[in-house]
Amino acid sequence: MADPRLPTTFISGSRAGDPLLTDGVLRPIDWTGDVDGCIVMIDQTLLPNERRIIECRDTRSVHDAIRRLAVRGAPAIGVAGAFGAILAAREAAIGDRTGFLQRFNAICDHLAAARPTGANLRWAVNRMKHRAASICTSSSPSAAADPCEIARALLNEARAIRDEDAAMCRAIGRFGEPLIPDGGGVMTYCNAGALATAEYGTALAPMYEAQSRGRRFTVFANETRPLLQGARLTAWELSRAGVDVVLICDNMAAQVMKERRVQLVITGADRIAANGDTANKIGTYGLAQLARAHDIPFYVAAPSSTFDLSIAAGDAIPIEQRDPGEIREPFGVSIAPKMVSCYCPAFDVTPAELIRGIITERGIIHPVTPARVAAMIGHQV
Amino acid sequence: MADPRLPTTFISGSRAGDPLLTDGVLRPIDWTGDVDGCIVMIDQTLLPNERRIIECRDTRSVHDAIRRLAVRGAPAIGVAGAFGAILAAREAAIGDRTGFLQRFNAICDHLAAARPTGANLRWAVNRMKHRAASICTSSSPSAAADPCEIARALLNEARAIRDEDAAMCRAIGRFGEPLIPDGGGVMTYCNAGALATAEYGTALAPMYEAQSRGRRFTVFANETRPLLQGARLTAWELSRAGVDVVLICDNMAAQVMKERRVQLVITGADRIAANGDTANKIGTYGLAQLARAHDIPFYVAAPSSTFDLSIAAGDAIPIEQRDPGEIREPFGVSIAPKMVSCYCPAFDVTPAELIRGIITERGIIHPVTPARVAAMIGHQV
């Protein structure tokens, strides 16, 4: 490991690779180099107009990237948190060894609070904390653990989280694929694709899987105001993959359903409570209501790391409020009186009763009941 | 009347007034001067960032202003069509007198086709055509009617249409006002306010009336993608009038309803069929479904001129499709891949069964059935 006391702006000798281009697979975030390396990520705020890769060499820049949505999507934020913990270890290594774990945990806790609603960030950071703690406690009582040893273990752990997320997405794709109607239409919301995960996606995974099997279908992508992840990210990544995609404004979803253009809705999730209530991007709840009104099955796709079994029901999930400027001045364009009040929740909660099934890497939870959730997800890491 | 053979770019000597400033009442469109005058209107595409008054001195510029939404809202477009018919008469006056009516009608028909969905444009233009025809047929058989005489009669007729629209809006306000919950919340959609009518508005009229009576309430305004009339126009005109308004993205409406922040939804209408099915801005139908899911009464406010009793049910109302660029590049900002397909209906149809009542200048149609519609609106002008 490089000297942990080097400033966090230290730049590794190896040129950061473009995660977009690695063997043709779209990966929004990765770690480059050894323990002295850094996080590389696509700045998703600039897509699709610009593909810029940014590097995070300290936890402050990771926190900032999560906060301003350069990386977004609960699973991808989880991966950011996992890799961020390596940077936390580097920062915590500055100082006496006996205080390392305390400093490390404090930095991790700050990182985990970058956004409040998604489950994966806390889940991943906690897993990294447990890993660090297990090494520290297993060290001989006479000598505190070597920061180099800890950092290397954390890098392995973070890579495992990344690889497990990718594998979970592939499994979600296989379980969800039979739902995709041949010759029909599917609706999705926000971006729960490759850009929201380590790779491949959650809600989009069944579509990619169906596409790879030669099935023909059309995806209706809701643009997802205020930050337009559906227009900027989902339309872009589906087009890039050769999937037939039609972009609509969020307020057109009901009409598309009424015209029977879609036979299925699949969205991602940011946190799922023990009873199956699902927090996801604001607008998901309304979409689920509209799907019910049109008798169209509404599915959620998420890995087990998005479940939070410590929360019994959705009303206990904290909902992030965002800056009204995201509504009033989208992308720098003033579209409303400057001083007008806005209400800007970033998420809503879809009650389990509106969800036909939850597609996980272990199978589909259906019907969505506390017992079925417990049976499928009962043992969280 | 000025020489009708003057070019259509002829500019009247009188400086066009700012319709915004006339005795404090917000009027988006008016006629300035005598029969040789012109239409003045607020260019609503520029609000709220810029208040620019444009003048229309020929029917081509009126057609263009309607088409590009410089004037919008079914009743206001109707007023534009009425005043536009005066310009049509001026243009038709160039040529032999015996062919006047035929030329006039042809120009009017082109004007009436500027946008297909709203009822008021055709209604107003037809009324102007009937007025011109009645003068021509009442002229002595030996001499065709004097274009000056026709233009003056048309100016009077158009001013009557404008004044009747304003009066109808005031009456809608009085009938709808008791519905506004004191200390509660109302949701509206798009802009059905003063800017959408001769003055005062339809959906917003009950709110203005309640405000004038000292009632306190909050209006939740949906921004209304793609052209954001809710954010740009409704938020602006309600703020200007001192009404407490909160702007939301369209996909937040369900959450606002779930949180019981509103006890009532009122929207405008572009065309209402004989059974009460209502065409209005895209997204209205979804909002009505969400209101039903939350057991919140959903009302439509519209003058009798918005009804089209020649159409039995909503599925026969033509739905305008707009340019996908309105979704992909809102206000010049690219937010999606350039080549991505879009589906861009400008309107949808809310079935009568989802509408608790239709607030007209003659009273509230409730329940919304063909018989009740016929009883209230049976005699259209």
Side-chain angles (χ1 to χ4, degrees), chain A residues 240-265:
Chain A
R240 181 176 176 277
V243 176
D244 183 37
V245 57
V246 176
L247 178 63
I248 59 172
C249 297
D250 305 322
N251 55 14
M252 298 168 185
Q255 182 64 17
V256 168
M257 291 180 182
K258 191 184 187 191
E259 294 171 3
R260 315 309 298 174
R261 292 175 188 265
V262 294
Q263 294 76 47
L264 173 70
V265 181

PDB file of all heavy atoms in Angstrom, chain A residues 240-265:
ATOM      1  N   ARG A 240     -28.511   2.666 -26.555  1.00  0.00           N
ATOM      2  CA  ARG A 240     -27.144   2.184 -26.750  1.00  0.00           C
ATOM      3  C   ARG A 240     -27.124   0.651 -26.881  1.00  0.00           C
ATOM      4  O   ARG A 240     -26.318   0.089 -27.631  1.00  0.00           O
ATOM      5  CB  ARG A 240     -26.325   2.630 -25.538  1.00  0.00           C
ATOM      6  CG  ARG A 240     -24.865   2.266 -25.541  1.00  0.00           C
ATOM      7  CD  ARG A 240     -24.192   2.881 -24.298  1.00  0.00           C
ATOM      8  NE  ARG A 240     -22.790   2.482 -24.220  1.00  0.00           N
ATOM      9  CZ  ARG A 240     -22.380   1.325 -23.714  1.00  0.00           C
ATOM     10  NH1 ARG A 240     -23.252   0.453 -23.251  1.00  0.00           N
ATOM     11  NH2 ARG A 240     -21.079   1.035 -23.678  1.00  0.00           N
ATOM     12  N   ALA A 241     -28.045  -0.011 -26.168  1.00  0.00           N
ATOM     13  CA  ALA A 241     -28.087  -1.474 -26.182  1.00  0.00           C
ATOM     14  C   ALA A 241     -28.968  -2.006 -27.307  1.00  0.00           C
ATOM     15  O   ALA A 241     -29.164  -3.212 -27.427  1.00  0.00           O
ATOM     16  CB  ALA A 241     -28.587  -1.984 -24.829  1.00  0.00           C
ATOM     17  N   GLY A 242     -29.522  -1.117 -28.120  1.00  0.00           N
ATOM     18  CA  GLY A 242     -30.343  -1.566 -29.239  1.00  0.00           C
ATOM     19  C   GLY A 242     -31.759  -1.955 -28.864  1.00  0.00           C
ATOM     20  O   GLY A 242     -32.479  -2.557 -29.664  1.00  0.00           O
ATOM     21  N   VAL A 243     -32.193  -1.600 -27.645  1.00  0.00           N
ATOM     22  CA  VAL A 243     -33.569  -1.886 -27.227  1.00  0.00           C
ATOM     23  C   VAL A 243     -34.471  -0.766 -27.755  1.00  0.00           C
ATOM     24  O   VAL A 243     -34.109   0.409 -27.698  1.00  0.00           O
ATOM     25  CB  VAL A 243     -33.674  -1.983 -25.689  1.00  0.00           C
ATOM     26  CG1 VAL A 243     -35.118  -2.170 -25.245  1.00  0.00           C
ATOM     27  CG2 VAL A 243     -32.793  -3.122 -25.164  1.00  0.00           C
ATOM     28  N   ASP A 244     -35.639  -1.135 -28.273  1.00  0.00           N
ATOM     29  CA  ASP A 244     -36.598  -0.160 -28.791  1.00  0.00           C
ATOM     30  C   ASP A 244     -37.196   0.614 -27.618  1.00  0.00           C
ATOM     31  O   ASP A 244     -37.894   0.045 -26.776  1.00  0.00           O
ATOM     32  CB  ASP A 244     -37.698  -0.898 -29.560  1.00  0.00           C
ATOM     33  CG  ASP A 244     -38.692   0.064 -30.181  1.00  0.00           C
ATOM     34  OD1 ASP A 244     -38.277   1.150 -30.638  1.00  0.00           O
ATOM     35  OD2 ASP A 244     -39.887  -0.273 -30.214  1.00  0.00           O
ATOM     36  N   VAL A 245     -36.913   1.903 -27.560  1.00  0.00           N
ATOM     37  CA  VAL A 245     -37.363   2.701 -26.418  1.00  0.00           C
ATOM     38  C   VAL A 245     -38.113   3.931 -26.908  1.00  0.00           C
ATOM     39  O   VAL A 245     -37.732   4.552 -27.899  1.00  0.00           O
ATOM     40  CB  VAL A 245     -36.173   3.090 -25.500  1.00  0.00           C
ATOM     41  CG1 VAL A 245     -35.097   3.842 -26.262  1.00  0.00           C
ATOM     42  CG2 VAL A 245     -36.635   3.904 -24.303  1.00  0.00           C
ATOM     43  N   VAL A 246     -39.198   4.249 -26.235  1.00  0.00           N
ATOM     44  CA  VAL A 246     -39.998   5.440 -26.524  1.00  0.00           C
ATOM     45  C   VAL A 246     -40.039   6.283 -25.257  1.00  0.00           C
ATOM     46  O   VAL A 246     -40.441   5.804 -24.196  1.00  0.00           O
ATOM     47  CB  VAL A 246     -41.427   5.071 -26.962  1.00  0.00           C
ATOM     48  CG1 VAL A 246     -42.267   6.343 -27.157  1.00  0.00           C
ATOM     49  CG2 VAL A 246     -41.408   4.244 -28.235  1.00  0.00           C
ATOM     50  N   LEU A 247     -39.622   7.513 -25.391  1.00  0.00           N
ATOM     51  CA  LEU A 247     -39.589   8.426 -24.246  1.00  0.00           C
ATOM     52  C   LEU A 247     -40.925   9.153 -24.118  1.00  0.00           C
ATOM     53  O   LEU A 247     -41.475   9.620 -25.112  1.00  0.00           O
ATOM     54  CB  LEU A 247     -38.456   9.434 -24.447  1.00  0.00           C
ATOM     55  CG  LEU A 247     -38.277  10.521 -23.382  1.00  0.00           C
ATOM     56  CD1 LEU A 247     -37.923   9.913 -22.041  1.00  0.00           C
ATOM     57  CD2 LEU A 247     -37.211  11.519 -23.834  1.00  0.00           C
ATOM     58  N   ILE A 248     -41.428   9.226 -22.893  1.00  0.00           N
ATOM     59  CA  ILE A 248     -42.647  10.008 -22.637  1.00  0.00           C
ATOM     60  C   ILE A 248     -42.428  10.894 -21.421  1.00  0.00           C
ATOM     61  O   ILE A 248     -41.545  10.635 -20.602  1.00  0.00           O
ATOM     62  CB  ILE A 248     -43.889   9.105 -22.383  1.00  0.00           C
ATOM     63  CG1 ILE A 248     -43.655   8.181 -21.185  1.00  0.00           C
ATOM     64  CG2 ILE A 248     -44.241   8.308 -23.628  1.00  0.00           C
ATOM     65  CD1 ILE A 248     -44.902   7.412 -20.752  1.00  0.00           C
ATOM     66  N   CYS A 249     -43.246  11.936 -21.314  1.00  0.00           N
ATOM     67  CA  CYS A 249     -43.283  12.697 -20.075  1.00  0.00           C
ATOM     68  C   CYS A 249     -44.062  11.885 -19.042  1.00  0.00           C
ATOM     69  O   CYS A 249     -44.924  11.076 -19.385  1.00  0.00           O
ATOM     70  CB  CYS A 249     -43.955  14.053 -20.290  1.00  0.00           C
ATOM     71  SG  CYS A 249     -43.083  15.121 -21.441  1.00  0.00           S
ATOM     72  N   ASP A 250     -43.767  12.133 -17.771  1.00  0.00           N
ATOM     73  CA  ASP A 250     -44.382  11.341 -16.700  1.00  0.00           C
ATOM     74  C   ASP A 250     -45.908  11.420 -16.755  1.00  0.00           C
ATOM     75  O   ASP A 250     -46.596  10.455 -16.425  1.00  0.00           O
ATOM     76  CB  ASP A 250     -43.895  11.851 -15.345  1.00  0.00           C
ATOM     77  CG  ASP A 250     -42.374  11.855 -15.263  1.00  0.00           C
ATOM     78  OD1 ASP A 250     -41.748  10.926 -15.801  1.00  0.00           O
ATOM     79  OD2 ASP A 250     -41.820  12.789 -14.665  1.00  0.00           O
ATOM     80  N   ASN A 251     -46.431  12.560 -17.175  1.00  0.00           N
ATOM     81  CA  ASN A 251     -47.881  12.742 -17.184  1.00  0.00           C
ATOM     82  C   ASN A 251     -48.566  12.050 -18.372  1.00  0.00           C
ATOM     83  O   ASN A 251     -49.772  12.159 -18.531  1.00  0.00           O
ATOM     84  CB  ASN A 251     -48.229  14.235 -17.151  1.00  0.00           C
ATOM     85  CG  ASN A 251     -47.571  15.004 -18.280  1.00  0.00           C
ATOM     86  OD1 ASN A 251     -47.068  14.404 -19.239  1.00  0.00           O
ATOM     87  ND2 ASN A 251     -47.580  16.321 -18.186  1.00  0.00           N
ATOM     88  N   MET A 252     -47.786  11.351 -19.197  1.00  0.00           N
ATOM     89  CA  MET A 252     -48.360  10.621 -20.325  1.00  0.00           C
ATOM     90  C   MET A 252     -48.542   9.134 -20.022  1.00  0.00           C
ATOM     91  O   MET A 252     -49.114   8.397 -20.828  1.00  0.00           O
ATOM     92  CB  MET A 252     -47.475  10.794 -21.565  1.00  0.00           C
ATOM     93  CG  MET A 252     -47.376  12.248 -22.027  1.00  0.00           C
ATOM     94  SD  MET A 252     -46.087  12.518 -23.266  1.00  0.00           S
ATOM     95  CE  MET A 252     -46.181  14.319 -23.440  1.00  0.00           C
ATOM     96  N   ALA A 253     -48.034   8.690 -18.884  1.00  0.00           N
ATOM     97  CA  ALA A 253     -48.065   7.262 -18.558  1.00  0.00           C
ATOM     98  C   ALA A 253     -49.494   6.719 -18.547  1.00  0.00           C
ATOM     99  O   ALA A 253     -49.759   5.624 -19.063  1.00  0.00           O
ATOM    100  CB  ALA A 253     -47.389   7.012 -17.209  1.00  0.00           C
ATOM    101  N   ALA A 254     -50.415   7.468 -17.964  1.00  0.00           N
ATOM    102  CA  ALA A 254     -51.796   6.985 -17.869  1.00  0.00           C
ATOM    103  C   ALA A 254     -52.389   6.777 -19.261  1.00  0.00           C
ATOM    104  O   ALA A 254     -53.077   5.785 -19.516  1.00  0.00           O
ATOM    105  CB  ALA A 254     -52.651   7.973 -17.066  1.00  0.00           C
ATOM    106  N   GLN A 255     -52.107   7.706 -20.163  1.00  0.00           N
ATOM    107  CA  GLN A 255     -52.645   7.588 -21.515  1.00  0.00           C
ATOM    108  C   GLN A 255     -52.029   6.389 -22.240  1.00  0.00           C
ATOM    109  O   GLN A 255     -52.728   5.659 -22.951  1.00  0.00           O
ATOM    110  CB  GLN A 255     -52.385   8.894 -22.283  1.00  0.00           C
ATOM    111  CG  GLN A 255     -52.938   8.931 -23.701  1.00  0.00           C
ATOM    112  CD  GLN A 255     -54.457   8.856 -23.743  1.00  0.00           C
ATOM    113  OE1 GLN A 255     -55.131   9.082 -22.739  1.00  0.00           O
ATOM    114  NE2 GLN A 255     -55.000   8.495 -24.895  1.00  0.00           N
ATOM    115  N   VAL A 256     -50.740   6.176 -22.060  1.00  0.00           N
ATOM    116  CA  VAL A 256     -50.074   5.017 -22.674  1.00  0.00           C
ATOM    117  C   VAL A 256     -50.702   3.714 -22.149  1.00  0.00           C
ATOM    118  O   VAL A 256     -50.930   2.769 -22.904  1.00  0.00           O
ATOM    119  CB  VAL A 256     -48.556   5.058 -22.398  1.00  0.00           C
ATOM    120  CG1 VAL A 256     -47.882   3.742 -22.756  1.00  0.00           C
ATOM    121  CG2 VAL A 256     -47.919   6.206 -23.177  1.00  0.00           C
ATOM    122  N   MET A 257     -51.011   3.691 -20.873  1.00  0.00           N
ATOM    123  CA  MET A 257     -51.664   2.507 -20.292  1.00  0.00           C
ATOM    124  C   MET A 257     -53.075   2.343 -20.849  1.00  0.00           C
ATOM    125  O   MET A 257     -53.493   1.241 -21.195  1.00  0.00           O
ATOM    126  CB  MET A 257     -51.728   2.637 -18.765  1.00  0.00           C
ATOM    127  CG  MET A 257     -50.380   2.537 -18.072  1.00  0.00           C
ATOM    128  SD  MET A 257     -50.603   2.699 -16.272  1.00  0.00           S
ATOM    129  CE  MET A 257     -48.889   2.614 -15.722  1.00  0.00           C
ATOM    130  N   LYS A 258     -53.799   3.453 -20.927  1.00  0.00           N
ATOM    131  CA  LYS A 258     -55.177   3.415 -21.419  1.00  0.00           C
ATOM    132  C   LYS A 258     -55.223   2.877 -22.850  1.00  0.00           C
ATOM    133  O   LYS A 258     -56.169   2.173 -23.227  1.00  0.00           O
ATOM    134  CB  LYS A 258     -55.767   4.825 -21.366  1.00  0.00           C
ATOM    135  CG  LYS A 258     -57.254   4.927 -21.602  1.00  0.00           C
ATOM    136  CD  LYS A 258     -57.642   6.407 -21.615  1.00  0.00           C
ATOM    137  CE  LYS A 258     -59.132   6.623 -21.678  1.00  0.00           C
ATOM    138  NZ  LYS A 258     -59.444   8.052 -21.949  1.00  0.00           N
ATOM    139  N   GLU A 259     -54.212   3.231 -23.622  1.00  0.00           N
ATOM    140  CA  GLU A 259     -54.152   2.770 -25.020  1.00  0.00           C
ATOM    141  C   GLU A 259     -53.594   1.354 -25.132  1.00  0.00           C
ATOM    142  O   GLU A 259     -53.356   0.886 -26.243  1.00  0.00           O
ATOM    143  CB  GLU A 259     -53.295   3.757 -25.840  1.00  0.00           C
ATOM    144  CG  GLU A 259     -53.932   5.136 -25.959  1.00  0.00           C
ATOM    145  CD  GLU A 259     -52.988   6.175 -26.590  1.00  0.00           C
ATOM    146  OE1 GLU A 259     -51.861   5.810 -26.977  1.00  0.00           O
ATOM    147  OE2 GLU A 259     -53.402   7.346 -26.679  1.00  0.00           O
ATOM    148  N   ARG A 260     -53.388   0.700 -24.021  1.00  0.00           N
ATOM    149  CA  ARG A 260     -52.914  -0.693 -23.960  1.00  0.00           C
ATOM    150  C   ARG A 260     -51.585  -0.873 -24.686  1.00  0.00           C
ATOM    151  O   ARG A 260     -51.329  -1.918 -25.284  1.00  0.00           O
ATOM    152  CB  ARG A 260     -53.946  -1.671 -24.546  1.00  0.00           C
ATOM    153  CG  ARG A 260     -55.374  -1.467 -24.117  1.00  0.00           C
ATOM    154  CD  ARG A 260     -55.581  -1.375 -22.641  1.00  0.00           C
ATOM    155  NE  ARG A 260     -55.213  -2.576 -21.881  1.00  0.00           N
ATOM    156  CZ  ARG A 260     -55.219  -2.647 -20.555  1.00  0.00           C
ATOM    157  NH1 ARG A 260     -55.531  -1.593 -19.829  1.00  0.00           N
ATOM    158  NH2 ARG A 260     -54.887  -3.754 -19.935  1.00  0.00           N
ATOM    159  N   ARG A 261     -50.732   0.133 -24.614  1.00  0.00           N
ATOM    160  CA  ARG A 261     -49.428   0.021 -25.251  1.00  0.00           C
ATOM    161  C   ARG A 261     -48.432  -0.751 -24.391  1.00  0.00           C
ATOM    162  O   ARG A 261     -47.366  -1.121 -24.870  1.00  0.00           O
ATOM    163  CB  ARG A 261     -48.863   1.416 -25.556  1.00  0.00           C
ATOM    164  CG  ARG A 261     -49.637   2.168 -26.625  1.00  0.00           C
ATOM    165  CD  ARG A 261     -49.104   3.593 -26.782  1.00  0.00           C
ATOM    166  NE  ARG A 261     -49.945   4.379 -27.657  1.00  0.00           N
ATOM    167  CZ  ARG A 261     -49.718   4.545 -28.969  1.00  0.00           C
ATOM    168  NH1 ARG A 261     -48.674   3.987 -29.529  1.00  0.00           N
ATOM    169  NH2 ARG A 261     -50.540   5.268 -29.692  1.00  0.00           N
ATOM    170  N   VAL A 262     -48.729  -0.912 -23.107  1.00  0.00           N
ATOM    171  CA  VAL A 262     -47.839  -1.683 -22.225  1.00  0.00           C
ATOM    172  C   VAL A 262     -48.643  -2.726 -21.469  1.00  0.00           C
ATOM    173  O   VAL A 262     -49.801  -2.509 -21.109  1.00  0.00           O
ATOM    174  CB  VAL A 262     -47.082  -0.778 -21.223  1.00  0.00           C
ATOM    175  CG1 VAL A 262     -46.112   0.136 -21.963  1.00  0.00           C
ATOM    176  CG2 VAL A 262     -48.035   0.039 -20.374  1.00  0.00           C
ATOM    177  N   GLN A 263     -48.006  -3.864 -21.242  1.00  0.00           N
ATOM    178  CA  GLN A 263     -48.645  -4.965 -20.523  1.00  0.00           C
ATOM    179  C   GLN A 263     -47.949  -5.237 -19.193  1.00  0.00           C
ATOM    180  O   GLN A 263     -48.303  -6.174 -18.460  1.00  0.00           O
ATOM    181  CB  GLN A 263     -48.619  -6.245 -21.376  1.00  0.00           C
ATOM    182  CG  GLN A 263     -49.458  -6.170 -22.646  1.00  0.00           C
ATOM    183  CD  GLN A 263     -48.796  -5.359 -23.731  1.00  0.00           C
ATOM    184  OE1 GLN A 263     -47.623  -5.531 -24.011  1.00  0.00           O
ATOM    185  NE2 GLN A 263     -49.544  -4.448 -24.356  1.00  0.00           N
ATOM    186  N   LEU A 264     -46.973  -4.410 -18.872  1.00  0.00           N
ATOM    187  CA  LEU A 264     -46.136  -4.669 -17.694  1.00  0.00           C
ATOM    188  C   LEU A 264     -45.440  -3.374 -17.301  1.00  0.00           C
ATOM    189  O   LEU A 264     -45.029  -2.598 -18.156  1.00  0.00           O
ATOM    190  CB  LEU A 264     -45.087  -5.733 -18.055  1.00  0.00           C
ATOM    191  CG  LEU A 264     -43.995  -6.075 -17.049  1.00  0.00           C
ATOM    192  CD1 LEU A 264     -44.603  -6.822 -15.856  1.00  0.00           C
ATOM    193  CD2 LEU A 264     -42.914  -6.934 -17.704  1.00  0.00           C
ATOM    194  N   VAL A 265     -45.307  -3.153 -15.997  1.00  0.00           N
ATOM    195  CA  VAL A 265     -44.491  -2.051 -15.492  1.00  0.00           C
ATOM    196  C   VAL A 265     -43.436  -2.656 -14.563  1.00  0.00           C
ATOM    197  O   VAL A 265     -43.768  -3.489 -13.719  1.00  0.00           O
ATOM    198  CB  VAL A 265     -45.336  -1.018 -14.706  1.00  0.00           C
ATOM    199  CG1 VAL A 265     -44.455   0.131 -14.215  1.00  0.00           C
ATOM    200  CG2 VAL A 265     -46.480  -0.473 -15.559  1.00  0.00           C
TER     201      VAL A 265
END
